[in-house]
């Protein structure tokens, strides 16, 4: 099974996971990236069974609309049962690193509102310890140098992501070579640096369930 086929399999598994619990007025939170795109394409087959979606990026909103799925402003939504999104890494405690596609801030906001975060990944994203994937940090542009120095002081190698402007008009600094021993503490510590909008650690609100594509089929991982 190729990586693309595994992504399609977990996308379909996510649709199967939520579809029995959808109501006519349900709103679904939708993430960003190639796995989330597979989910959007699979979701289109049942688009008459729910009201619409909240998108975590402009790209996702465009893809949803392209399938005729209505996109709602998060501020008009009180209850969201599900948020479905990919990840760049996940550990045994379902902590995630996200933001490879630069959409981390909106992803974190939509995930915060949802009752259940269903993370969809292929098995290449599974790690024992987070940090091999460079940790994305969204930064207000004028704070770039200051935040870079603060990140270097933590022991990692900050690298400005050339040419990347987020949907919020900010920049991304990727933090390389940092062993993440305490994801919850680091998430809070990074968010306390002035000029940081948010960082790609999803530990305080990690995934509730992970659907992982493997050559043997989709595995379901939950909190122990
Ligand atoms: C985007 C993200 C994505 O979920 C993450 O990068 C995984 O993407 P893909 O499914 O393409 O591997 O956090 O900001």
């Amino acid at each position: 099974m190729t990586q693309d086929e595994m992504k399609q399999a977990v996308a379909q598994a996510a649709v199967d996971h939520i579809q029995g619990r959808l109501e006519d007025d349900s709103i679904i939170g939708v993430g960003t990236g190639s796995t989330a795109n597979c989910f959007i394409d699979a979701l289109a087959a049942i688009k008459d069974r729910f009201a619409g979606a909240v998108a975590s990026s402009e790209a996702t909103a465009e893809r949803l609309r392209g399938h005729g799925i209505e996109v709602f402003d998060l501020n008009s939504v009180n209850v969201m049962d599900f948020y479905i999104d990919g990840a760049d890494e996940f550990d045994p405690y379902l902590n995630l690193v996200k933001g490879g596609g630069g959409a981390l801030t909106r992803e974190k906001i939509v995930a915060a509102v949802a009752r259940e975060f269903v993370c969809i990944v292929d098995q290449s994203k599974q790690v024992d310890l987070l940090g091999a994937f460079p940790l994305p940090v969204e930064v207000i542009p004028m704070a770039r140098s200051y935040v870079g120095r603060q990140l270097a002081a933590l022991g990692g190698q900050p690298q400005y992501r050339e040419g990347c402007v987020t949907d919020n008009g900010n920049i991304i600094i990727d933090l390389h070579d940092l062993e993440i021993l305490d994801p919850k503490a680091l998430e809070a510590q990074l968010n306390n640096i002035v000029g940081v909008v948010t960082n790609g650690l999803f530990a305080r609100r990690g995934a509730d369930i992970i659907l992982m594509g493997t050559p043997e089929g989709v595995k379901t991982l939950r909190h122990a």
Side-chain angles (χ1 to χ4, degrees):
M1 202 184 251
T2 66
Q3 194 177 28
D4 272 355
E5 286 167 340
M6 285 190 260
K7 289 180 184 188
Q8 281 159 18
V10 288
Q12 187 54 52
V15 170
D16 296 343
H17 178 77
I18 66 172
Q19 65 177 335
R21 290 185 278 162
L22 292 176
E23 310 280 347
D24 288 348
D25 60 352
S26 294
I27 310 282
I28 302 165
V30 183
T32 298
S34 57
T35 319
N37 282 346
C38 292
F39 171 71
I40 296 167
D41 297 346
L43 190 64
I46 59 159
K47 68 179 179 192
D48 298 331
R49 307 257 303 272
F50 59 98
V54 170
S56 62
S57 64
E58 300 299 335
T60 287
E62 196 179 315
R63 197 173 187 103
L64 286 162
R65 288 194 190 101
H67 282 298
I69 297 171
E70 188 171 350
V71 177
F72 288 83
D73 183 327
L74 182 62
N75 292 308
S76 68
V77 173
N78 292 324
V79 178
M80 192 191 299
D81 285 330
F82 305 104
Y83 177 63
I84 292 80
D85 197 0
D88 299 303
E89 276 188 339
F90 72 93
D91 74 8
Y93 307 99
L94 312 197
N95 299 309
L96 314 173
V97 167
K98 292 184 47 53
L104 59 157
T105 299
R106 294 191 187 191
E107 291 173 341
K108 202 174 270 198
I109 294 167
V110 184
V113 176
R115 289 194 173 124
E116 185 178 56
F117 180 174
V118 181
C119 185
I120 51 176
V121 289
D122 63 79
Q123 63 180 13
S124 69
K125 311 295 180 72
Q126 188 172 33
V127 297
D128 287 330
L129 196 64
L130 300 176
F133 190 92
L135 177 62
V137 182
E138 179 163 352
V139 176
I140 301 287
M142 73 173 288
R144 183 176 107 191
S145 300
Y146 170 73
V147 171
R149 289 193 294 275
Q150 301 299 307
L151 296 178
L154 293 175
Q157 305 289 329
Q159 211 171 86
Y160 170 55
R161 198 183 291 182
E162 291 284 347
C164 174
V165 178
T166 70
D167 285 348
N168 313 308
N170 298 315
I171 59 139
I172 300 278
I173 298 178
D174 292 305
L175 191 50
H176 294 249
D177 303 330
L178 198 64
E179 271 200 344
I180 301 175
L181 300 171
D182 186 343
K184 283 194 177 69
L186 184 64
E187 182 177 358
Q189 189 180 7
L190 292 174
N191 285 345
N192 261 338
I193 299 172
V194 173
V196 168
V197 179
T198 197
N199 69 86
L201 274 169
F202 284 55
R204 290 175 172 252
R205 202 283 181 257
D208 297 301
I209 176 171
I210 293 188
L211 303 175
M212 178 176 73
T214 77
E216 294 79 44
V218 175
K219 292 189 177 158
T220 302
L221 310 174
R222 296 177 191 272
H223 286 280

